[in-house]
PDB file of all heavy atoms in Angstrom:
ATOM      1  N   ALA A  15      -3.523  11.865   2.597  1.00 97.00           N
ATOM      2  CA  ALA A  15      -3.996  11.318   1.308  1.00 97.00           C
ATOM      3  C   ALA A  15      -5.327  10.573   1.432  1.00 97.00           C
ATOM      4  O   ALA A  15      -5.502   9.490   0.860  1.00 97.00           O
ATOM      5  CB  ALA A  15      -2.894  10.382   0.717  1.00 97.00           C
ATOM      6  N   LEU A  40      -6.233  14.580   5.799  1.00 98.00           N
ATOM      7  CA  LEU A  40      -5.500  15.542   4.961  1.00 98.00           C
ATOM      8  C   LEU A  40      -5.590  15.102   3.507  1.00 98.00           C
ATOM      9  O   LEU A  40      -5.481  13.924   3.208  1.00 98.00           O
ATOM     10  CB  LEU A  40      -4.007  15.608   5.344  1.00 98.00           C
ATOM     11  CG  LEU A  40      -3.639  16.620   6.434  1.00 98.00           C
ATOM     12  CD1 LEU A  40      -4.333  16.311   7.742  1.00 98.00           C
ATOM     13  CD2 LEU A  40      -2.097  16.644   6.637  1.00 98.00           C
ATOM     14  N   GLY A  45     -12.087  19.205  -0.696  1.00 92.00           N
ATOM     15  CA  GLY A  45     -13.423  19.199  -1.223  1.00 92.00           C
ATOM     16  C   GLY A  45     -13.762  17.981  -2.097  1.00 92.00           C
ATOM     17  O   GLY A  45     -14.948  17.698  -2.358  1.00 92.00           O
ATOM     18  N   HIS A  46     -12.736  17.287  -2.542  1.00 92.00           N
ATOM     19  CA  HIS A  46     -12.939  16.115  -3.357  1.00 92.00           C
ATOM     20  C   HIS A  46     -13.197  14.839  -2.567  1.00 92.00           C
ATOM     21  O   HIS A  46     -13.520  13.794  -3.127  1.00 92.00           O
ATOM     22  CB  HIS A  46     -11.754  15.866  -4.317  1.00 92.00           C
ATOM     23  CG  HIS A  46     -11.605  16.908  -5.370  1.00 92.00           C
ATOM     24  ND1 HIS A  46     -10.552  16.973  -6.230  1.00 92.00           N
ATOM     25  CD2 HIS A  46     -12.440  17.946  -5.751  1.00 92.00           C
ATOM     26  CE1 HIS A  46     -10.708  17.981  -7.091  1.00 92.00           C
ATOM     27  NE2 HIS A  46     -11.853  18.582  -6.779  1.00 92.00           N
ATOM     28  N   GLY A  57      -3.646  19.121   2.601  1.00 97.00           N
ATOM     29  CA  GLY A  57      -2.431  18.361   2.929  1.00 97.00           C
ATOM     30  C   GLY A  57      -1.631  18.012   1.692  1.00 97.00           C
ATOM     31  O   GLY A  57      -1.360  16.818   1.394  1.00 97.00           O
ATOM     32  N   VAL A  78       0.750   8.248   4.303  1.00 98.00           N
ATOM     33  CA  VAL A  78       0.540   7.320   3.174  1.00 98.00           C
ATOM     34  C   VAL A  78       1.573   7.670   2.113  1.00 98.00           C
ATOM     35  O   VAL A  78       1.717   8.827   1.690  1.00 98.00           O
ATOM     36  CB  VAL A  78      -0.891   7.493   2.590  1.00 98.00           C
ATOM     37  CG1 VAL A  78      -1.055   6.625   1.344  1.00 98.00           C
ATOM     38  CG2 VAL A  78      -1.926   7.147   3.618  1.00 98.00           C
ATOM     39  N   GLU A  82       4.506   9.972  -6.544  1.00 92.00           N
ATOM     40  CA  GLU A  82       5.397  10.677  -7.501  1.00 92.00           C
ATOM     41  C   GLU A  82       6.645   9.781  -7.768  1.00 92.00           C
ATOM     42  O   GLU A  82       6.843   8.764  -7.207  1.00 92.00           O
ATOM     43  CB  GLU A  82       5.811  12.010  -6.938  1.00 92.00           C
ATOM     44  CG  GLU A  82       4.663  12.980  -6.751  1.00 92.00           C
ATOM     45  CD  GLU A  82       4.194  13.578  -8.091  1.00 92.00           C
ATOM     46  OE1 GLU A  82       4.807  13.316  -9.122  1.00 92.00           O
ATOM     47  OE2 GLU A  82       3.196  14.338  -8.030  1.00 92.00           O
ATOM     48  N   PRO A  84      10.474   8.525  -7.637  1.00 93.00           N
ATOM     49  CA  PRO A  84      11.201   8.263  -6.414  1.00 93.00           C
ATOM     50  C   PRO A  84      11.942   9.471  -5.825  1.00 93.00           C
ATOM     51  O   PRO A  84      11.853   9.733  -4.626  1.00 93.00           O
ATOM     52  CB  PRO A  84      12.192   7.169  -6.810  1.00 93.00           C
ATOM     53  CG  PRO A  84      11.457   6.415  -7.888  1.00 93.00           C
ATOM     54  CD  PRO A  84      10.731   7.463  -8.646  1.00 93.00           C
ATOM     55  N   ALA A  97       7.032  18.735   9.226  1.00 98.00           N
ATOM     56  CA  ALA A  97       5.888  19.466   9.754  1.00 98.00           C
ATOM     57  C   ALA A  97       5.326  18.759  11.002  1.00 98.00           C
ATOM     58  O   ALA A  97       4.958  19.451  11.964  1.00 98.00           O
ATOM     59  CB  ALA A  97       4.802  19.555   8.692  1.00 98.00           C
ATOM     60  N   HIS A  99       7.059  16.911  13.152  1.00 98.00           N
ATOM     61  CA  HIS A  99       7.986  17.154  14.251  1.00 98.00           C
ATOM     62  C   HIS A  99       7.906  18.571  14.772  1.00 98.00           C
ATOM     63  O   HIS A  99       7.919  18.781  16.021  1.00 98.00           O
ATOM     64  CB  HIS A  99       9.415  16.867  13.743  1.00 98.00           C
ATOM     65  CG  HIS A  99      10.472  16.958  14.821  1.00 98.00           C
ATOM     66  ND1 HIS A  99      11.175  18.137  15.058  1.00 98.00           N
ATOM     67  CD2 HIS A  99      10.889  16.057  15.742  1.00 98.00           C
ATOM     68  CE1 HIS A  99      11.978  17.922  16.080  1.00 98.00           C
ATOM     69  NE2 HIS A  99      11.847  16.663  16.480  1.00 98.00           N
ATOM     70  N   ILE A 106       4.598   8.825  14.389  1.00 98.00           N
ATOM     71  CA  ILE A 106       4.326   8.809  12.946  1.00 98.00           C
ATOM     72  C   ILE A 106       4.383   7.328  12.499  1.00 98.00           C
ATOM     73  O   ILE A 106       5.251   6.568  12.879  1.00 98.00           O
ATOM     74  CB  ILE A 106       5.354   9.651  12.193  1.00 98.00           C
ATOM     75  CG1 ILE A 106       4.987   9.730  10.684  1.00 98.00           C
ATOM     76  CG2 ILE A 106       6.776   9.209  12.410  1.00 98.00           C
ATOM     77  CD1 ILE A 106       5.690  10.844   9.936  1.00 98.00           C
ATOM     78  N   SER A 121      12.864  -1.146  -8.327  1.00 98.00           N
ATOM     79  CA  SER A 121      13.777  -0.982  -7.237  1.00 98.00           C
ATOM     80  C   SER A 121      14.005   0.471  -6.801  1.00 98.00           C
ATOM     81  O   SER A 121      14.088   0.736  -5.592  1.00 98.00           O
ATOM     82  CB  SER A 121      15.126  -1.632  -7.545  1.00 98.00           C
ATOM     83  OG  SER A 121      14.946  -3.041  -7.728  1.00 98.00           O
ATOM     84  N   ILE A 148       1.268  -6.736  -2.054  1.00 98.00           N
ATOM     85  CA  ILE A 148       0.618  -6.243  -3.219  1.00 98.00           C
ATOM     86  C   ILE A 148      -0.891  -6.301  -3.102  1.00 98.00           C
ATOM     87  O   ILE A 148      -1.435  -7.325  -2.658  1.00 98.00           O
ATOM     88  CB  ILE A 148       1.089  -7.039  -4.490  1.00 98.00           C
ATOM     89  CG1 ILE A 148       2.561  -6.802  -4.713  1.00 98.00           C
ATOM     90  CG2 ILE A 148       0.275  -6.597  -5.731  1.00 98.00           C
ATOM     91  CD1 ILE A 148       3.135  -7.540  -5.902  1.00 98.00           C
ATOM     92  N   TYR A 149      -1.585  -5.224  -3.476  1.00 98.00           N
ATOM     93  CA  TYR A 149      -3.046  -5.268  -3.477  1.00 98.00           C
ATOM     94  C   TYR A 149      -3.544  -6.349  -4.403  1.00 98.00           C
ATOM     95  O   TYR A 149      -3.111  -6.443  -5.544  1.00 98.00           O
ATOM     96  CB  TYR A 149      -3.637  -3.961  -3.959  1.00 98.00           C
ATOM     97  CG  TYR A 149      -3.280  -2.706  -3.162  1.00 98.00           C
ATOM     98  CD1 TYR A 149      -3.110  -1.475  -3.800  1.00 98.00           C
ATOM     99  CD2 TYR A 149      -3.127  -2.736  -1.763  1.00 98.00           C
ATOM    100  CE1 TYR A 149      -2.799  -0.316  -3.123  1.00 98.00           C
ATOM    101  CE2 TYR A 149      -2.782  -1.574  -1.084  1.00 98.00           C
ATOM    102  CZ  TYR A 149      -2.644  -0.408  -1.744  1.00 98.00           C
ATOM    103  OH  TYR A 149      -2.332   0.747  -1.067  1.00 98.00           O
ATOM    104  N   ILE A 150      -4.538  -7.091  -3.951  1.00 98.00           N
ATOM    105  CA  ILE A 150      -5.156  -8.093  -4.842  1.00 98.00           C
ATOM    106  C   ILE A 150      -6.326  -7.532  -5.625  1.00 98.00           C
ATOM    107  O   ILE A 150      -6.709  -8.089  -6.649  1.00 98.00           O
ATOM    108  CB  ILE A 150      -5.573  -9.333  -4.006  1.00 98.00           C
ATOM    109  CG1 ILE A 150      -5.562 -10.598  -4.855  1.00 98.00           C
ATOM    110  CG2 ILE A 150      -6.933  -9.117  -3.335  1.00 98.00           C
ATOM    111  CD1 ILE A 150      -5.571 -11.883  -4.103  1.00 98.00           C
ATOM    112  N   PRO A 152      -6.720  -5.044  -7.756  1.00 96.00           N
ATOM    113  CA  PRO A 152      -6.596  -4.769  -9.200  1.00 96.00           C
ATOM    114  C   PRO A 152      -6.824  -5.997 -10.096  1.00 96.00           C
ATOM    115  O   PRO A 152      -7.381  -5.890 -11.210  1.00 96.00           O
ATOM    116  CB  PRO A 152      -5.172  -4.239  -9.339  1.00 96.00           C
ATOM    117  CG  PRO A 152      -4.897  -3.591  -8.025  1.00 96.00           C
ATOM    118  CD  PRO A 152      -5.566  -4.498  -7.044  1.00 96.00           C
ATOM    119  N   SER A 159     -11.207  -7.876 -18.569  1.00 96.00           N
ATOM    120  CA  SER A 159     -10.049  -7.865 -19.527  1.00 96.00           C
ATOM    121  C   SER A 159      -9.418  -9.230 -19.601  1.00 96.00           C
ATOM    122  O   SER A 159      -9.078  -9.727 -20.699  1.00 96.00           O
ATOM    123  CB  SER A 159      -9.022  -6.800 -19.138  1.00 96.00           C
ATOM    124  OG  SER A 159      -9.588  -5.498 -19.221  1.00 96.00           O
ATOM    125  N   GLY A 164      -8.675 -14.517 -22.218  1.00 97.00           N
ATOM    126  CA  GLY A 164      -8.683 -15.857 -21.767  1.00 97.00           C
ATOM    127  C   GLY A 164      -7.514 -16.309 -20.879  1.00 97.00           C
ATOM    128  O   GLY A 164      -7.362 -17.487 -20.644  1.00 97.00           O
ATOM    129  N   GLY A 176       2.914 -12.392  -1.628  1.00 98.00           N
ATOM    130  CA  GLY A 176       2.108 -12.057  -0.455  1.00 98.00           C
ATOM    131  C   GLY A 176       1.152 -10.930  -0.758  1.00 98.00           C
ATOM    132  O   GLY A 176       1.504  -9.754  -0.607  1.00 98.00           O
ATOM    133  N   TYR A 177      -0.056 -11.267  -1.182  1.00 98.00           N
ATOM    134  CA  TYR A 177      -1.077 -10.268  -1.498  1.00 98.00           C
ATOM    135  C   TYR A 177      -1.756  -9.791  -0.245  1.00 98.00           C
ATOM    136  O   TYR A 177      -1.693 -10.445   0.808  1.00 98.00           O
ATOM    137  CB  TYR A 177      -2.113 -10.841  -2.419  1.00 98.00           C
ATOM    138  CG  TYR A 177      -1.665 -11.038  -3.863  1.00 98.00           C
ATOM    139  CD1 TYR A 177      -1.209 -12.264  -4.352  1.00 98.00           C
ATOM    140  CD2 TYR A 177      -1.683  -9.968  -4.743  1.00 98.00           C
ATOM    141  CE1 TYR A 177      -0.835 -12.417  -5.641  1.00 98.00           C
ATOM    142  CE2 TYR A 177      -1.269 -10.107  -6.068  1.00 98.00           C
ATOM    143  CZ  TYR A 177      -0.849 -11.350  -6.540  1.00 98.00           C
ATOM    144  OH  TYR A 177      -0.456 -11.509  -7.844  1.00 98.00           O
ATOM    145  N   ARG A 180      -6.935  -3.640   0.738  1.00 98.00           N
ATOM    146  CA  ARG A 180      -6.923  -2.333   1.427  1.00 98.00           C
ATOM    147  C   ARG A 180      -7.656  -2.413   2.747  1.00 98.00           C
ATOM    148  O   ARG A 180      -7.272  -1.765   3.733  1.00 98.00           O
ATOM    149  CB  ARG A 180      -7.534  -1.249   0.513  1.00 98.00           C
ATOM    150  CG  ARG A 180      -6.690  -0.983  -0.732  1.00 98.00           C
ATOM    151  CD  ARG A 180      -7.266   0.140  -1.563  1.00 98.00           C
ATOM    152  NE  ARG A 180      -6.468   0.319  -2.791  1.00 98.00           N
ATOM    153  CZ  ARG A 180      -6.760  -0.279  -3.965  1.00 98.00           C
ATOM    154  NH1 ARG A 180      -7.807  -1.082  -4.056  1.00 98.00           N
ATOM    155  NH2 ARG A 180      -6.009  -0.085  -5.034  1.00 98.00           N
ATOM    156  N   THR A 200       9.128  -2.657  12.346  1.00 98.00           N
ATOM    157  CA  THR A 200       8.858  -2.626  10.917  1.00 98.00           C
ATOM    158  C   THR A 200       8.210  -3.972  10.575  1.00 98.00           C
ATOM    159  O   THR A 200       8.753  -5.012  10.862  1.00 98.00           O
ATOM    160  CB  THR A 200      10.171  -2.443  10.087  1.00 98.00           C
ATOM    161  OG1 THR A 200      10.759  -1.201  10.469  1.00 98.00           O
ATOM    162  CG2 THR A 200       9.892  -2.409   8.624  1.00 98.00           C
ATOM    163  N   SER A 211      -0.779 -19.032 -10.607  1.00 98.00           N
ATOM    164  CA  SER A 211      -1.685 -20.137 -10.963  1.00 98.00           C
ATOM    165  C   SER A 211      -2.794 -20.299  -9.889  1.00 98.00           C
ATOM    166  O   SER A 211      -4.004 -20.540 -10.212  1.00 98.00           O
ATOM    167  CB  SER A 211      -0.956 -21.427 -11.106  1.00 98.00           C
ATOM    168  OG  SER A 211      -0.116 -21.369 -12.266  1.00 98.00           O
ATOM    169  N   LYS A 219     -12.984 -19.577 -10.088  1.00 97.00           N
ATOM    170  CA  LYS A 219     -14.075 -20.035  -9.262  1.00 97.00           C
ATOM    171  C   LYS A 219     -15.052 -18.927  -8.919  1.00 97.00           C
ATOM    172  O   LYS A 219     -16.265 -19.100  -8.929  1.00 97.00           O
ATOM    173  CB  LYS A 219     -13.486 -20.623  -7.942  1.00 97.00           C
ATOM    174  CG  LYS A 219     -14.543 -21.245  -7.033  1.00 97.00           C
ATOM    175  CD  LYS A 219     -13.855 -21.895  -5.805  1.00 97.00           C
ATOM    176  CE  LYS A 219     -14.896 -22.526  -4.872  1.00 97.00           C
ATOM    177  NZ  LYS A 219     -14.261 -23.130  -3.710  1.00 97.00           N
ATOM    178  N   ALA A 237       6.642  -4.158 -21.727  1.00 97.00           N
ATOM    179  CA  ALA A 237       6.204  -3.515 -22.946  1.00 97.00           C
ATOM    180  C   ALA A 237       4.704  -3.556 -23.066  1.00 97.00           C
ATOM    181  O   ALA A 237       4.076  -2.549 -23.482  1.00 97.00           O
ATOM    182  CB  ALA A 237       6.829  -4.245 -24.163  1.00 97.00           C
ATOM    183  N   SER A 240       3.378  -0.963 -20.630  1.00 97.00           N
ATOM    184  CA  SER A 240       3.722   0.367 -21.113  1.00 97.00           C
ATOM    185  C   SER A 240       2.796   0.827 -22.255  1.00 97.00           C
ATOM    186  O   SER A 240       2.419   2.012 -22.302  1.00 97.00           O
ATOM    187  CB  SER A 240       5.189   0.423 -21.550  1.00 97.00           C
ATOM    188  OG  SER A 240       6.055   0.199 -20.492  1.00 97.00           O
ATOM    189  N   ILE A 251       5.414  -1.452 -13.167  1.00 96.00           N
ATOM    190  CA  ILE A 251       4.640  -2.678 -12.971  1.00 96.00           C
ATOM    191  C   ILE A 251       5.405  -3.885 -13.425  1.00 96.00           C
ATOM    192  O   ILE A 251       5.385  -4.939 -12.768  1.00 96.00           O
ATOM    193  CB  ILE A 251       3.290  -2.519 -13.688  1.00 96.00           C
ATOM    194  CG1 ILE A 251       2.437  -1.461 -13.022  1.00 96.00           C
ATOM    195  CG2 ILE A 251       2.537  -3.886 -13.711  1.00 96.00           C
ATOM    196  CD1 ILE A 251       1.149  -1.184 -13.727  1.00 96.00           C
ATOM    197  N   ARG A 259       8.817 -12.667  -9.230  1.00 98.00           N
ATOM    198  CA  ARG A 259       9.611 -13.773  -9.820  1.00 98.00           C
ATOM    199  C   ARG A 259      10.903 -14.061  -9.033  1.00 98.00           C
ATOM    200  O   ARG A 259      11.267 -15.194  -8.876  1.00 98.00           O
ATOM    201  CB  ARG A 259       9.920 -13.403 -11.259  1.00 98.00           C
ATOM    202  CG  ARG A 259      10.656 -14.435 -12.059  1.00 98.00           C
ATOM    203  CD  ARG A 259      10.887 -13.885 -13.478  1.00 98.00           C
ATOM    204  NE  ARG A 259      11.288 -14.889 -14.418  1.00 98.00           N
ATOM    205  CZ  ARG A 259      10.999 -14.816 -15.741  1.00 98.00           C
ATOM    206  NH1 ARG A 259      10.299 -13.800 -16.203  1.00 98.00           N
ATOM    207  NH2 ARG A 259      11.387 -15.775 -16.556  1.00 98.00           N
ATOM    208  N   THR A 273      -2.272  -7.054  14.323  1.00 98.00           N
ATOM    209  CA  THR A 273      -3.726  -6.884  14.530  1.00 98.00           C
ATOM    210  C   THR A 273      -4.315  -7.777  15.588  1.00 98.00           C
ATOM    211  O   THR A 273      -5.467  -7.555  16.009  1.00 98.00           O
ATOM    212  CB  THR A 273      -4.447  -7.147  13.193  1.00 98.00           C
ATOM    213  OG1 THR A 273      -4.278  -8.522  12.835  1.00 98.00           O
ATOM    214  CG2 THR A 273      -3.945  -6.271  12.105  1.00 98.00           C
TER     215      THR A 273
END
Side-chain angles (χ1 to χ4, degrees):
L40 272 60
H46 290 173
V78 177
E82 296 285 355
H99 185 267
I106 186 165
S121 298
I148 294 179
Y149 299 147
I150 208 163
S159 295
Y177 286 98
R180 294 183 184 94
T200 300
S211 294
K219 184 176 180 180
S240 296
I251 292 175
R259 184 180 194 149
T273 64

